[in-house]
Amino acid sequence: GQRLATGAAWKEFCERLKRAGRHVLEGGFNMEPIDFADGFHYLAGLVGTGLQQALAFAAPDLPRFYRNPDTRSKWGGENPDNLYLWTKIRPDRTYKVTGTLSNCREILFEFHDGYMQLGDVKVSKPLAASQLVLNPDRSFEIILSAQKPDGNWLELLPDYGYLVVRQYLYDWATERPTDLYIVQVGAEGMAPPPLTAARMAEMLDEAGLWTEVTAEHWRHWMWEAIKSYRKNEIAAPT
């Protein structure tokens, strides 16, 4: 809590943003003014997302879906046919996801241990919407737990801290995403825990780290992609 009261946590957050800005300014690309505009537009989106998702994921016992990346905050390399939702979970709890399936092409539900740009690369076997047992009105319920229940189930595994949802859309003019809701079983209606100074400092740390490392990771990724580019050639798989 002292780091927040003394301003140290905020200062460290701002220092991370300054370093993230250097990845735009010193990226190694041949930058024109429009490129600087695009670069800082990109970085501003990362800052906003870093803060918003830190706040959204403050209490894993009360999960909420946060859309990331999206049109306001790009990372790099995401599938343009996807809508991504993230939420933080605890592997020793039980959760319930509900919704009514829309006309989107497919949905994949999977667990991640974290973000790839932070070095977290584990992804569980996904559960697809096309595998779900639906009610007559196309509504459904999925239980996320360690023990298998009756009905739709996604096995909760140790070491996974996030549920990630990928919705696939082909015709964005007519297809619609499915509205999804998640709750921890037994915590319905529970109030969020009181915010402490120590937890707020942690959220600033999480937001600053995510923003800085994301900016660095994808600048490097793009630089490597440009160096390996060959006109009119399909790149080898990597």
Side-chain angles (χ1 to χ4, degrees):
Q2 282 297 107
R3 291 179 57 239
L4 198 68
T6 62
W10 184 260
K11 181 179 178 181
E12 291 168 22
F13 170 73
C14 293
E15 289 296 326
R16 286 192 179 276
L17 298 193
K18 287 169 66 175
R19 291 195 293 270
R22 288 201 292 270
H23 292 302
V24 175
L25 293 169
E26 304 167 7
F29 304 102
N30 183 19
M31 302 277 278
E32 299 292 338
I34 186 61
D35 300 314
F36 285 107
D38 284 341
F40 281 101
H41 184 273
Y42 169 78
L43 183 56
L46 292 185
V47 175
T49 289
L51 284 168
Q52 289 296 320
Q53 71 183 5
L55 297 174
F57 301 157
D61 287 321
L62 300 172
R64 65 175 69 176
F65 283 118
Y66 182 79
R67 182 173 168 178
N68 181 21
D70 69 3
T71 53
R72 292 179 296 278
S73 176
K74 312 298 288 181
W75 300 1
E78 69 264 25
N79 187 330
D81 298 320
N82 277 20
L83 184 153
Y84 297 85
L85 299 172
W86 290 70
T87 190
K88 201 167 188 177
I89 50 90
R90 298 186 191 276
D92 59 346
R93 303 292 200 269
T94 296
Y95 298 91
K96 179 171 63 176
V97 174
T98 57
T100 300
L101 191 62
S102 70
N103 63 343
C104 63
R105 295 300 171 107
E106 184 62 286
I107 308 175
L108 296 182
F109 301 86
E110 60 197 28
F111 295 117
H112 289 218
D113 62 337
Y115 293 93
M116 59 180 294
Q117 61 266 46
L118 299 184
D120 304 317
V121 296
K122 290 173 61 178
V123 180
S124 73
K125 180 181 178 180
L127 173 67
S130 54
Q131 298 173 284
L132 298 177
V133 175
L134 303 178
N135 296 317
D137 63 354
R138 293 177 62 82
S139 65
F140 61 87
E141 174 182 296
I142 307 170
I143 297 297
L144 286 51
S145 62
Q147 301 300 319
K148 190 178 189 311
D150 294 332
N152 300 311
W153 178 55
L154 186 60
E155 183 180 7
L156 260 176
L157 301 166
D159 303 325
Y160 288 88
Y162 294 87
L163 171 65
V164 179
V165 182
R166 307 170 191 257
Q167 299 205 42
Y168 289 79
L169 297 100
Y170 171 74
D171 183 352
W172 289 72
T174 61
E175 296 174 3
R176 294 289 178 266
T178 295
D179 292 328
L180 296 168
Y181 306 91
I182 183 170
V183 66
Q184 184 196 155
V185 175
E188 297 89 342
M190 186 172 74
L195 179 63
T196 65
R199 184 68 188 102
M200 188 63 232
E202 288 176 354
M203 286 192 278
L204 288 174
D205 293 342
E206 292 164 7
L209 175 67
W210 189 89
T211 301
E212 179 187 4
V213 175
T214 300
E216 178 183 14
H217 176 93
W218 290 107
R219 179 201 65 80
H220 177 76
W221 188 91
M222 184 58 68
W223 179 240
E224 292 300 316
I226 288 174
K227 285 197 300 183
S228 63
Y229 172 73
R230 300 291 182 270
K231 188 174 181 179
N232 295 327
E233 292 183 16
I234 297 176
T238 60

